[in-house]
Amino acid sequence: MNQDTDNGLRENLQLDGDTRPDDDLRSDGGIRGGLLRRHRDFRLLWCGETAGKFGASVTGVTMPLVAVTTLHATTFQVGVLTAATWLPWLIIGLPVGVWVDRMRRRPIMLIAAAVSLLLYVSIPVAAWCGALSIGLLLGVALLTGTAVVFFQTAYTAYLPSILAPADQPEGNAKLHGSASAAQIAGLGSGGLIAQLAGAVNGMFANAATFLVSLLCLSGIRHREPRAVRTERPPRALVKEVGEGLRLATRDPWIRSLTLFGATSNLALMGFQSILVVFLVREVGVGSGTVGALIAAAGSGGVAGAFAARRVAARVGTARATLLFELGFAVFALLIPLTVGGAGLLLYVAGAFCVSAGVVAGNVIKAGFQQSYCPPELLGRLTASTSFINFGTIPLGALLGGTLGTVLGLRAAMWITTAGVPLAGLILVFSPVRTARDLPTAPLSGTGSSALPN
């Protein structure tokens, strides 16, 4: 579970054919619940995204198991494999944001899903041909990671175009909650699939989820207007990338949350990258049990998604952010204490709280950024904050693999999990500490004029 940077709000409302505006309005002017029931396009997008999250979670278990059990990879190689998945955010994350702002988002998502489908199918095919290797796994990880950069950036910018502003809080909660539920099911299924069919054949399950995602995205009726081609000066790309970076780094609220996310992801991925190796080789559990343990711990994400809005409404969004991102993070220190038998509950309890805190914090941050950020900078801002946030993930994976190799797995888990609550101190020394609520009014002005000088 990683800190994300979901952004986005478009003021123009696009309604699909199944939405019934007159029925959805309450007497006080608000919007009724039941977004999945009454909004066909959101329902399809939700189904496709949930399927993709399920598949990604299956891969999160089966890919390291392929490396460990089939190719007998070292701890460092497993860390490098995880790092390769996130490295594209550092390499192409910033220009992708500009490209997404210049093009229609749905076709980008369709192409990215199709590419991922083919790449994941290539792993069992290569195994049948006797060509499976660590190098091939690294190549697939890099290319699918590249597809994720395009998909996630386009998806974040596309989502608000199909939802009314009043529907977006419900949409955020549903997407985060279902993503956590899908991750739980995927993690549990990943271990079970690896045990029953083999880790290599488990990659077919992930490929199938991208097929579902393709079908769902293809069924969405909302169409974005065709992008207008305009002549741009030679350094337009650099200028537009700079606009997103300036907003992400100069605005005190966005800067604080982005810096916290980057630091938190460094620690989170530090222990997540070696978690499967730790549970298999240090604690001594089987492949099926690994998936079950990770799934049980991941159920905290569902709890966090449902609790976020309620807690934020009671204590304020800023205070709730501190509670979830700092208070819950302390329980990460239970994870390195994990031993066999009843001691497995230490891992479940610690990871459950961490997952709940991360997902709840993400729900609150998504609502804040959707009301605060200029919509015309959405793609660039998403890419800029993701570049900073996700850019530390490959570094965290390499850190975990290196520490596990040099100091041992349990020592590495102690060091990396300690970084999870320490990252929360960034919020203590930010404007978040002195506020009850995160700001809801949008930045003054639009476009580059909204950027701090």
Side-chain angles (χ1 to χ4, degrees):
M1 188 66 64
N2 302 310
Q3 299 290 346
D4 63 27
T5 54
D6 292 337
N7 307 310
L9 177 61
R10 296 182 70 91
E11 295 300 328
N12 55 311
L13 170 61
Q14 302 286 348
L15 297 175
D16 72 2
D18 275 10
T19 305
R20 298 178 295 276
D22 294 338
D23 294 338
D24 294 335
L25 293 176
R26 297 195 310 253
S27 59
D28 61 359
I31 304 292
R32 290 179 181 173
L35 188 58
L36 289 174
R37 173 185 58 80
R38 59 183 167 81
H39 201 306
R40 178 183 179 276
D41 280 355
F42 176 78
R43 184 165 63 247
L44 287 170
L45 186 65
W46 175 82
C47 289
E49 175 69 0
T50 301
K53 292 295 185 184
F54 175 83
S57 297
V58 171
T59 302
V61 175
T62 54
M63 186 84 89
L65 285 175
V66 170
V68 172
T69 62
T70 303
L71 300 175
H72 308 290
T74 65
T75 300
F76 181 75
Q77 286 174 325
V78 174
V80 171
L81 181 64
T82 304
T85 304
W86 295 94
L87 187 60
W89 284 104
L90 281 174
I91 299 174
I92 63 167
L94 292 176
V96 165
V98 177
W99 296 331
V100 164
D101 275 344
R102 294 177 179 177
M103 297 183 288
R104 290 184 294 177
R105 283 72 182 260
R106 180 173 165 273
I108 295 175
M109 296 159 61
L110 286 167
I111 294 172
V115 169
S116 298
L117 167 63
L118 295 175
L119 287 170
Y120 283 123
V121 167
S122 72
I123 294 178
V125 170
W128 296 342
C129 298
L132 185 61
S133 65
I134 290 292
L136 177 64
L137 288 184
L138 286 173
V140 170
L142 278 170
L143 293 174
T144 54
T146 300
V148 167
V149 174
F150 279 93
F151 186 96
Q152 186 64 40
T153 304
Y155 163 80
T156 304
Y158 178 74
L159 173 64
S161 71
I162 65 173
L163 288 183
D167 277 334
Q168 288 172 9
E170 181 186 351
N172 284 328
K174 279 183 166 57
L175 285 167
H176 283 286
S178 63
S180 296
Q183 287 170 345
I184 294 167
L187 291 169
S189 300
L192 183 61
I193 290 170
Q195 194 170 39
L196 296 177
V200 171
N201 291 331
M203 303 307 298
F204 278 124
N206 193 29
T209 62
F210 280 100
L211 177 59
V212 173
S213 184
L214 273 171
L215 294 174
C216 290
L217 290 172
S218 299
I220 292 177
R221 294 174 180 170
H222 169 69
R223 294 294 184 269
E224 302 164 275
R226 186 176 297 276
V228 178
R229 294 185 179 275
T230 58
E231 292 295 330
R232 294 182 174 87
R235 297 182 62 83
L237 179 64
V238 176
K239 179 179 180 294
E240 292 176 49
V241 166
E243 289 177 345
L245 279 175
R246 284 196 297 274
L247 181 54
T249 57
R250 294 186 183 182
D251 180 85
W253 295 95
I254 299 176
R255 181 180 63 238
S256 298
L257 292 172
T258 302
L259 180 60
F260 160 72
T263 308
S264 180
N265 279 340
L266 181 72
L268 287 167
M269 188 51 63
F271 79 81
Q272 289 175 352
S273 66
I274 58 173
L275 178 60
V276 171
V277 187
F278 172 73
L279 292 175
V280 171
R281 294 180 178 171
E282 186 74 19
V283 181
V285 299
S287 298
T289 306
V290 168
L293 286 172
I294 297 176
S299 62
V302 177
F306 283 105
R309 285 195 296 165
R310 294 172 175 81
V311 174
R314 181 176 294 272
V315 305
T317 52
R319 293 174 182 173
T321 298
L322 285 174
L323 171 65
F324 287 122
E325 302 286 26
L326 180 58
F328 278 52
V330 173
F331 292 93
L333 297 175
L334 294 176
I335 297 174
L337 297 171
T338 304
V339 292
L344 295 176
L345 294 176
L346 291 170
Y347 164 74
V348 174
F352 179 95
C353 291
V354 171
S355 181
V358 168
V359 173
N362 286 339
V363 171
I364 295 171
K365 285 187 292 184
F368 155 69
Q369 290 175 334
Q370 286 173 352
S371 62
Y372 187 69
C373 299
E376 64 276 8
L377 285 174
L378 193 50
R380 279 163 282 174
L381 181 64
T382 298
S384 298
T385 53
S386 296
F387 171 78
I388 299 170
N389 272 356
F390 297 158
T392 61
I393 290 179
L395 301 178
L398 291 174
L399 176 65
T402 301
L403 291 175
T405 301
V406 175
L407 302 177
L409 289 167
R410 197 172 294 274
M413 293 295 284
W414 272 113
I415 294 171
T416 52
T417 54
V420 178
L422 288 175
L425 295 178
I426 293 174
L427 298 178
V428 174
F429 296 100
S430 76
V432 177
R433 178 179 62 86
T434 57
R436 182 186 187 276
D437 289 289
L438 300 172
T440 56
L443 289 168
S444 60
T446 58
S448 59
S449 63
L451 298 173
N453 295 317

